[in-house]
Amino acid sequence: VKLATDRLVSTVCWRQANAIDKLPDHPPPEIATYRMYRSCVVIGRNKDHQPIHVERIGKFFGSPDVPKALSIAQWLRCYSYEMAELFKQFRQASIDSGTVIHKRVYIGDLKGVRFSAIKKLNFMTTLKNEVEVHFPEIAGPIILINAPSFLARIWSMVSKALDPAVVEKIKIFPGIPTEFFIERFGREQIPIEYGGTNPIEF
């Protein structure tokens, strides 16, 4: 109980100090620069009304300029803004469906990722640990596409040490699994470049 109480107090203080509840109406001035490197967008919803969130991970990890593009404070502010925007999507999906929606489907496009990009994991982990700890858990299905061969080898080892429930959430594909997407989400939800009919650009 004490751990839960301490986390709640920490989260409330963090949200107040960073004016998180006002963020959706006041985008950080550097958000355009942030999105040059972190290209992510909600493309629609699945059959359970969960937002489908697509990110070009390869673009983020493939750029050598990422850590220097913004200060760490700016990265954290923009990441917080993205999380606040995602929770707006949850609220709207809950209203539209008449049920509580608090999980997302995450599609990560790994095209362009090289093994050397593993060096940026510490940077990304810093952002996630600083921000996501102050938001409710949102992880639903995780689908990684255009995965390089080295990832499959790493995953085959790492997955053995993970909780089977976590492993079950994660699907990894070496290319674009168009039929899988269409079966799971419907052709109209999937961007054209992934074999669907959704004209969204990101």
Side-chain angles (χ1 to χ4, degrees), residues 26-43:
H26 300 87
E30 56 276 352
I31 191 66
T33 300
Y34 173 90
R35 286 178 172 161
M36 283 176 57
Y37 296 97
R38 283 207 74 193
S39 181
C40 48
V41 66
V42 172
I43 61 171

Side-chain angles (χ1 to χ4, degrees), residues 45 48-50 90-101:
R45 298 174 187 166
D48 295 323
H49 311 288
Q50 296 171 330
F90 288 148
R91 285 193 289 274
Q92 190 58 54
S94 298
I95 292 170
D96 294 343
S97 65
T99 186
V100 177
I101 305 298

Side-chain angles (χ1 to χ4, degrees), residues 67-85:
K68 299 178 290 185
L70 299 169
S71 69
I72 189 65
Q74 290 172 324
W75 276 111
L76 290 170
R77 186 74 174 166
C78 289
Y79 193 40
S80 299
Y81 173 76
E82 292 270 287
M83 290 293 292
E85 283 286 289

Side-chain angles (χ1 to χ4, degrees), residues 170-185:
I170 301 172
K171 307 291 183 189
I172 300 178
F173 297 92
I176 298 174
T178 300
E179 294 305 317
F180 173 85
F181 281 159
I182 292 172
E183 180 182 343
R184 282 299 259 316
F185 310 127

